[in-house]
Amino acid sequence: MTARTLAPIPALPLPRRRHVVLAALAGLIVAAACLPGALTQPPRVALAVSALAILGWVGTRVPESLVALAAVLALVLGGVLSEAQLFAALGNELIWLLLSAFVIAAVAKEAGLTERLVAPLLRRGMRFAPFALVLTLAIAATAFVLPSTSGRAALLLPVFAAITAVLPDPRLARPLALLFPTVILLSAGASLIGAGAHLLAAEAIRSATGLHLGYLGWAALGLPFSLAASLAGAGLILWLFVPRAALMAPLPRIETPMPDAATRRRQRRIGMVLALVVGLWLTADLHGIGMALVALAGALLLLTPPFTRRKPKEIFRAVDVELLLYMAATVLIAEAMTATGADRWLAGHALSALPPSLAGSLPAVVALLAVVAVAAHLAITSRSARAAVLIPAVALPLAGLGHDPALLILVAIMGTGFCQSMMASAKPVAIFGNAEGAGFVQADLMRLALPLAPLVAALLIGFALLVWPAQLQMMRAEAPPRLVPAAMLVAPAVALSPPAPPAAAEAEAATETATKTAMEAARPLSRPERRLAAPARPRKAQPQRRPAQELQELNRILRPVGFRIIIR
């Protein structure tokens, strides 16, 4: 009998310091959510889950889609969201817009249309730095014709793929992938239709001051700032992510082969459909058809044989299902924060932290609002939701302290354009970050966001103190302002301040109800509402007909069948 020695048990790996810090932070978040406080359970759970999701996106290497889906599952199990809301999220307009955009992009790429669009840039043989700046201006120009940052990202994705396919140095793919979403987000403020939040801001400015900002008026205010921010972001990307040897290296002249006559005809047909889709987007106020429905109709038309040679099954394989699920999850997280009031609670506490001595100083107020607007994407991942919270909860209460409401609303809404810290902070970042061959990860976003955030905040402060006041004064000279009473501006601050004691709950509810009633009264009516509210036009009095006349007409109708009615 032989004795055999057992192999030594391998030592368990010790946790890294980063893992210990992440576990400690997660434990603190969970413990804080369990402590008693003024918040009820739904907003407390929404805050805790959002904080844990941010921790997972920033501090771990777990895929962003898994973190987002786990956060949504926690919201459902925690009672914040229902199962019906979870499954209905796949019917969100954004999901259908992205699905249609993927199909349109696949058809355009299969026909070689994207390569033909970027061919003029590739034939010039420019150096990479000037090429990136020219591309920045071209991407920024799309804000004036495409009414959504998500739609711009989805339609520019095949352009990015066409350029990266011919780059001579693979190291240039990462800065190019960062350039597209950065410019898309920062340039959106140049156009009134660049983001849905801008329409909300323009309406808030009109209600608070009487100043009506149209398409050109908004461009006069937003274009200089957005262009400066986009060029600053492009410059940072070139400085941080492009090797010095490749920065001014000439790109090779790439001659794209001329397609045959049949392909050119197919490209023209696809271009006509794309022009029709964009035209319907721009005229949505006239026909009332939503962006997603227009894009879906365009995608369905492009799947027919005159536009593509591939089967629909092959086209649908180009749809990124993981990205669609990720988008649906982030939309649900944003809805949970808004529906439970957790975002307004955060805004109220941020406003209450302002020292009274600084409340009357315009530079201090502008600096605080700029920092809050730039950092708001860390807690509220939807741009429209950020605007819906920052304008009534921060900008208008600060304006009630004696500052210009239009100026503060501009600072708040332009600051929402910065949201490049995380994949979940903005839809364009997620679209390009999860695209095939994108080449950048979460660490690259943080490397870019750390210097870009203070730069955007500094630009906001500079424009708010030096440029926008003079522009607003010139615009007001044409139309005298109609200021809203101070009570209407200060009331949101009262309603959104840290929770009041139970004895004041009824008074606070009454104040909030009065505020909503006043704001509804000040809000202009839409076309359908004006049509319903308009007094009915008096109809001309019709002469009463005698029974004998009615009987004669009835007998005239019955004469062909041989009937006659006689009343005695």
Side-chain angles (χ1 to χ4, degrees):
M1 178 174 149
T2 59
R4 300 177 60 184
T5 59
L6 297 176
I9 299 177
L12 295 177
L14 295 176
R16 298 181 179 179
R17 183 179 301 177
R18 181 170 63 90
H19 297 160
V20 175
V21 172
L22 290 175
L25 290 176
L28 288 176
I29 294 172
V30 175
C34 297
L35 292 176
L39 280 178
T40 58
Q41 182 182 0
R44 190 181 302 177
V45 173
L47 280 173
V49 171
S50 299
L52 290 174
I54 293 173
L55 193 64
W57 285 325
V58 176
T60 68
R61 297 181 181 178
V62 181
E64 287 80 6
S65 57
L66 296 183
V67 174
L69 291 175
V72 170
L73 183 60
L75 290 173
V76 174
L77 296 178
V80 179
L81 298 175
S82 63
E83 293 186 21
Q85 289 176 299
L86 171 62
F87 300 127
L90 291 177
N92 187 278
E93 183 182 7
L94 174 63
I95 304 301
W96 285 96
L97 176 63
L98 287 178
L99 174 64
S100 305
F102 276 121
V103 173
I104 293 174
V107 173
K109 183 178 180 181
E110 184 264 339
L113 182 60
T114 54
E115 289 81 357
R116 187 175 178 181
L117 291 176
V118 300
L121 289 177
L122 300 178
R123 291 196 193 103
R124 297 180 180 272
M126 302 173 62
R127 300 179 185 273
F128 184 76
F131 172 78
L133 296 179
V134 172
L135 189 61
T136 297
L137 297 177
I139 297 172
T142 60
F144 291 93
V145 294
L146 297 179
S148 168
T149 55
S150 303
R152 291 167 65 197
L155 290 182
L156 288 174
L157 186 62
V159 177
F160 161 75
I163 295 176
T164 53
V166 296
L167 286 177
D169 191 343
R171 295 177 299 177
L172 299 177
R174 180 174 58 172
L176 196 64
L178 288 168
L179 181 69
F180 271 83
T182 299
V183 178
I184 287 172
L185 293 169
L186 294 178
S187 64
S191 172
L192 182 61
I193 64 171
H198 299 166
L199 300 176
L200 177 63
E203 183 62 29
I205 291 174
R206 194 177 75 85
S207 299
T209 67
L211 178 63
H212 177 71
L213 291 179
Y215 193 84
L216 295 179
W218 186 278
L221 292 168
L223 179 59
F225 168 78
S226 300
L227 192 59
S230 300
L231 292 174
L236 277 177
I237 292 173
L238 293 176
W239 179 48
L240 294 174
F241 297 96
V242 179
R244 295 295 176 267
L247 191 60
M248 295 303 294
L251 296 176
R253 295 180 180 270
I254 301 174
E255 296 291 340
T256 55
M258 180 62 66
D260 54 18
T263 303
R264 289 198 301 270
R265 286 194 298 268
R266 191 152 55 97
Q267 290 177 352
R268 283 195 294 268
R269 289 194 293 264
I270 296 174
M272 292 175 61
V273 173
L274 292 179
L276 179 62
V277 168
V278 175
L280 291 175
W281 281 355
L282 295 176
T283 57
D285 293 337
L286 299 178
H287 52 72
I289 305 176
M291 284 183 56
L293 191 58
V294 170
L296 183 61
L300 182 62
L301 183 61
L302 292 179
L303 286 173
T304 56
F307 302 95
T308 180
R309 300 172 182 174
R310 301 170 62 185
K311 296 181 179 179
K313 179 172 61 176
E314 299 175 354
I315 296 292
F316 279 114
R317 288 175 183 169
V319 177
D320 192 343
V321 179
E322 181 185 6
L323 178 59
L324 296 181
L325 294 176
Y326 176 69
M327 290 296 179
T330 54
V331 167
L332 283 174
I333 294 174
E335 289 181 357
M337 289 287 291
T338 303
T340 58
D343 50 3
R344 295 185 293 276
W345 182 83
L346 285 176
H349 276 269
L351 185 62
S352 63
L354 180 66
S357 59
L358 299 178
S361 173
L362 180 61
V365 169
V366 167
L368 172 67
L369 185 56
V371 172
V372 171
V374 168
H377 69 281
L378 297 175
I380 310 171
T381 57
S382 169
R383 189 170 191 168
S384 299
R386 289 197 295 275
V389 172
L390 290 177
I391 291 175
V394 182
L396 289 182
L398 289 177
L401 300 176
H403 305 292
D404 185 6
L407 178 64
L408 297 187
I409 290 173
L410 276 176
V411 174
I413 201 65
M414 293 299 176
T416 60
F418 175 80
C419 39
Q420 289 93 332
S421 299
M422 300 180 299
M423 291 283 190
S425 298
K427 310 301 185 297
V429 177
I431 290 173
F432 282 90
N434 292 279
E436 184 179 357
F440 71 85
V441 293
Q442 180 61 54
D444 298 324
L445 290 176
M446 291 302 299
R447 184 183 175 190
L448 173 62
L450 288 178
L452 185 57
L455 184 57
V456 172
L459 284 174
L460 271 176
I461 297 171
F463 271 82
L465 296 179
L466 303 175
V467 180
W468 287 334
Q471 288 183 303
L472 290 173
Q473 186 176 1
M474 291 177 59
M475 292 179 179
R476 288 189 177 113
E478 301 177 358
R482 179 183 56 83
L483 295 178
V484 176
M488 185 179 294
L489 299 177
V490 180
V494 177
L496 294 170
S497 58
E506 296 182 0
E508 184 178 352
T511 303
E512 185 175 356
T513 303
T515 302
K516 290 181 179 179
T517 304
M519 294 183 69
E520 284 294 327
R523 181 179 64 85
L525 298 177
S526 61
R527 288 183 180 179
E529 290 174 340
R530 288 199 301 266
R531 194 178 298 114
L532 293 176
R537 296 181 179 177
R539 297 183 177 180
K540 295 182 179 180
Q542 298 289 340
Q544 294 185 356
R545 307 176 68 176
R546 292 179 298 177
Q549 294 177 349
E550 297 178 356
L551 183 61
Q552 291 177 2
E553 292 183 3
L554 181 61
N555 286 332
R556 190 179 301 110
I557 296 173
L558 297 177
R559 183 180 301 170
V561 295
F563 286 97
R564 185 180 182 187
I565 299 177
I566 301 176
I567 300 179
R568 298 182 182 275

